[in-house]
């Protein structure tokens, strides 16, 4: 009788352990946490493309800009299609990036800012069994990138370099996302996670200026291509159903 009770107890504990850590086919989960975006940025020199409606191709040598890192809150929703394959939708509160001058623009410091939107769809492969507490994974996906609230905020830069009030626009694009990370289940429904992603991202910033010149105010357009290539870390806590 005692042996039977012991075997029953061990089986019950095994079932409890399986229930506590299962991330199997049909599991739906949500996470929230903190994104840190660290651009590996550089830019092409500023090029004046037109002045007063006439095309030009004047490149300003030794000019450029880079982006500071940024932090924001993130959210994901995912679904295990099989015991090892999950799809995940990722969205964050748009982080604000400050644009810093480089080269001859460096003395001006912060030139402007913009907010980045990058909703992402990931496909992830989880290693280990669905009953394991620790599950590393690799992911691949696609992100739609665009910017809002682009603006030049440095008055000295506006007056001495662009020579007038300036509006900014940027390209939007689809970009691949390379992802790796792990989750650790510490309760039946709750888990924590860490992931690192890389996006080979670049955008063209286009500037339109009402430039003050010796012959009056002329519309000038200029542009620069900025490489961001951010490395994105995500520390999170999640709940699964």
């Amino acid at each position: 009788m005692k042996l039977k009770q012991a075997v029953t107890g061990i089986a019950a504990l095994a079932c409890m352990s399986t229930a506590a850590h299962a991330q199997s086919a049909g599991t739906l989960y949500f996470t929230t946490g903190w994104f840190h975006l660290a651009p590996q940025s550089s830019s092409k020199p500023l090029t004046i493309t037109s002045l007063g409606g006439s095309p030009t191709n004047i490149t300003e040598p030794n000019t450029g800009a880079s982006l500071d890192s940024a932090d924001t809150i993130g959210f994901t929703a995912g679904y295990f299609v099989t015991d090892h394959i999950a799809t995940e939708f990722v969205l964050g509160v748009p982080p604000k990036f400050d644009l810093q001058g480089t080269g001859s623009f460096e003395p001006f410091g912060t030139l402007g800012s913009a907010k980045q939107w990058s909703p992402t769809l990931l496909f992830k492969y989880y290693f280990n069994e669905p009953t394991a507490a620790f599950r590393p994974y690799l992911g691949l996906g696609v992100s739609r990138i665009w910017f809002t609230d682009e603006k030049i905020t440095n008055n000295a830069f506006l007056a001495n370099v662009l020579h007038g009030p300036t509006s900014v626009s940027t390209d939007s694009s689809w970009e691949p996302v390379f992802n790796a990370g792990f989750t650790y289940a510490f309760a039946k429904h709750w888990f924590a996670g860490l992931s690192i992603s890389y996006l080979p991202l670049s955008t063209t910033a286009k500037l339109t200026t009402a430039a003050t010149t010796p012959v009056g105010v002329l519309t000038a357009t200029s542009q620069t291509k900025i490489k961001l290539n951010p490395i994105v870390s995500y520390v999170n806590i999640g709940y699964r159903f």
Side-chain angles (χ1 to χ4, degrees):
M1 179 62 71
K2 290 183 178 180
L3 178 61
K4 182 178 179 180
Q5 289 175 339
V7 171
T8 301
I10 292 172
L13 287 172
C15 290
M16 289 174 63
S17 175
T18 299
H21 304 310
Q23 300 175 71
S24 54
T27 299
L28 176 68
Y29 64 88
F30 296 92
T31 76
T32 186
W34 197 252
F35 278 116
H36 178 72
L37 298 89
Q40 314 302 300
S41 60
S42 62
S43 73
K44 297 288 187 180
L46 184 69
T47 299
I48 302 170
T49 54
S50 73
L51 183 61
S54 299
T56 62
N57 188 27
I58 304 170
T59 298
E60 300 286 349
N62 192 34
T63 59
S66 64
L67 277 76
D68 283 344
S69 60
D71 297 279
T72 191
I73 298 172
F75 306 92
T76 74
Y79 180 78
F80 275 86
V81 180
T82 72
D83 287 353
H84 295 278
I85 298 174
T87 62
E88 184 174 287
F89 180 71
V90 185
L91 185 65
V93 175
K96 178 183 176 182
F97 287 101
D98 287 329
L99 187 68
Q100 303 293 332
T102 61
S104 62
F105 291 164
E106 186 173 359
F108 292 98
T110 301
L111 306 181
S113 63
K115 292 182 179 179
Q116 177 193 317
W117 298 77
S118 52
T120 299
L121 180 64
L122 286 172
F123 297 89
K124 302 163 72 173
Y125 184 86
Y126 282 79
F127 299 92
N128 295 343
E129 294 305 310
T131 53
F134 176 74
R135 299 198 72 184
Y137 60 80
L138 293 175
L140 181 65
V142 64
S143 183
R144 178 63 175 175
I145 311 289
W146 72 93
F147 295 86
T148 59
D149 296 335
E150 309 103 313
K151 54 190 174 183
I152 302 297
T153 57
N154 189 305
N155 291 328
F157 183 73
L158 287 170
N160 298 305
V161 176
L162 300 177
H163 304 293
T166 300
S167 61
V168 184
S169 64
T170 51
D171 291 338
S172 58
S173 62
W174 292 94
E175 302 294 345
V177 180
F178 304 94
N179 175 255
F182 67 86
T183 62
Y184 183 82
F186 56 85
K188 181 177 180 180
H189 295 287
W190 292 95
F191 63 93
L194 171 66
S195 72
I196 302 292
S197 299
Y198 174 73
L199 290 78
L201 169 63
S202 63
T203 187
T204 299
K206 300 174 182 179
L207 290 71
T208 302
T209 303
T212 301
T213 72
V215 297
V217 177
L218 298 177
T219 299
T221 61
S222 54
Q223 66 180 39
T224 181
K225 185 174 183 180
I226 302 173
K227 290 184 178 181
L228 287 78
N229 297 344
I231 296 173
V232 183
S233 55
Y234 181 48
V235 180
N236 61 83
I237 187 168
Y239 185 90
R240 60 176 180 266
F241 297 88

